[in-house]
Amino acid sequence: MANAIYQREIINQSGFKMLTLCKSQLEKAKVAFREHDSDLAEEVINTENRVNALDLKIEEDCEKFLALYNPVAIDLRFIMAVRKINFDLERIADHAYSISKYVVDLDEPIAPHLFERLQFEQMYTTISAMFDHITVAYEDKDVKAARKVFKKDKVLDQINRESFAIIEEEIRKDPKLIRQSLVLFSVVKKLERVGDLMKNVAEEVIFYIDAEVLKHKRKK
């Protein structure tokens, strides 16, 4: 029994490490993209290997825990939640990788006014707050903190909905900005998707703590 508790704590710490690492990747990708910093972008790209290695470790540790200890109740919910959270966090890191790739592949920085028009900073501020809520929820088993993520995601959805018309207007005003505009539009879409993944993480935290399934309830 003591060994099971020890292994559970190792998995818990690995999950928190994954959360912290993916948040760092996304924040570095933002700075690299905003400042057209190819060195920082390369750092994010190279760190992807660490993310993938940790992803595999967590998955393997969860499978071993299931096989060795046959967990039930809250322990089973914990392992199920960690596996799903790990999957969503790895996908968030993939988006950070893709954003950084744009920096390496794009031979010119994005025009500053495009960032302002598409509310790029607000999207990242919102995502950062979502990560903060999830961190508190994960560490303190705080369901209220997890639920705050859903309201934050609405901000990202609204910016995303408005982005196409803004991009269309900017391209009409200055056709030379077509490539920059389309790249930034793609990044906005990725950030909106990050918000969806953060909602998934929040749902899994709530499932683990309260045994409440929110996925289909929210859709209704």
Side-chain angles (χ1 to χ4, degrees):
M1 185 66 178
N3 194 42
I5 294 173
Y6 174 72
Q7 293 300 326
R8 187 182 186 279
E9 181 56 28
I10 288 178
I11 294 171
N12 184 58
Q13 291 176 8
S14 294
F16 184 74
K17 184 177 179 181
M18 186 67 158
L19 176 64
T20 304
L21 180 58
C22 291
K23 180 181 180 181
S24 174
Q25 283 287 88
L26 201 63
E27 289 176 345
K28 288 179 180 178
K30 174 242 181 169
V31 175
F33 188 73
R34 184 67 196 259
E35 300 180 6
H36 200 67
D37 187 335
S38 58
D39 290 335
L40 186 57
E42 290 283 2
E43 180 182 332
V44 174
I45 291 169
N46 293 331
T47 304
E48 177 70 6
N49 291 330
R50 283 179 54 202
V51 175
N52 292 337
L54 184 56
D55 169 44
L56 292 174
K57 180 184 184 303
I58 291 172
E59 185 64 22
E60 290 173 1
D61 287 349
C62 287
E63 289 176 357
K64 288 179 182 177
F65 193 91
L66 288 169
L68 291 174
Y69 303 109
N70 194 25
V72 295
I74 192 169
D75 284 338
L76 179 59
R77 293 202 310 272
F78 169 74
I79 293 298
M80 292 173 63
V82 167
R83 293 183 72 182
K84 291 181 180 179
I85 289 170
N86 182 53
F87 175 77
D88 288 323
L89 289 175
E90 195 276 333
R91 291 174 69 190
I92 289 173
D94 284 343
H95 287 304
Y97 174 92
S98 298
I99 292 170
S100 297
K101 281 285 290 179
Y102 282 135
V103 179
V104 175
D105 297 338
L106 192 65
D107 55 5
E108 59 181 345
I110 304 294
H113 78 279
L114 292 178
F115 286 116
E116 295 176 10
R117 291 225 59 199
L118 286 164
Q119 302 179 71
F120 181 80
E121 289 292 339
Q122 185 175 358
M123 291 195 85
Y124 254 100
T125 299
T126 302
I127 289 171
S128 180
M130 294 169 85
F131 263 107
D132 289 343
H133 294 320
I134 288 298
T135 300
V136 171
Y138 190 93
E139 283 193 298
D140 300 339
K141 298 181 178 59
D142 187 340
V143 170
K144 289 183 179 180
R147 291 184 188 279
K148 292 178 181 179
V149 168
F150 305 131
K151 186 175 182 180
K152 292 289 183 182
D153 185 61
K154 293 179 181 178
V155 176
L156 302 178
D157 291 341
Q158 182 63 31
I159 294 174
N160 179 56
R161 281 193 294 269
E162 296 171 355
S163 63
F164 181 79
I166 295 171
I167 287 294
E168 185 179 32
E169 180 185 337
E170 289 296 329
I171 289 175
R172 285 182 176 178
K173 287 195 298 186
D174 188 353
K176 294 195 295 275
L177 294 177
I178 288 178
R179 188 182 180 199
Q180 293 182 35
S181 298
L182 292 180
V183 166
L184 185 52
F185 181 61
S186 177
V187 171
V188 167
K189 293 293 182 185
K190 292 181 186 303
L191 294 179
E192 190 274 334
R193 183 58 186 144
V194 166
D196 290 340
L197 293 168
M198 292 299 293
K199 282 196 303 182
N200 292 348
V201 173
E203 287 173 0
E204 292 306 322
V205 172
I206 293 169
F207 166 71
Y208 155 52
I209 298 170
D210 279 359
E212 180 181 0
V213 179
L214 294 182
K215 187 173 183 180
H216 296 295
K217 286 184 180 180
R218 288 197 303 102
K219 287 182 178 179
K220 291 176 183 179

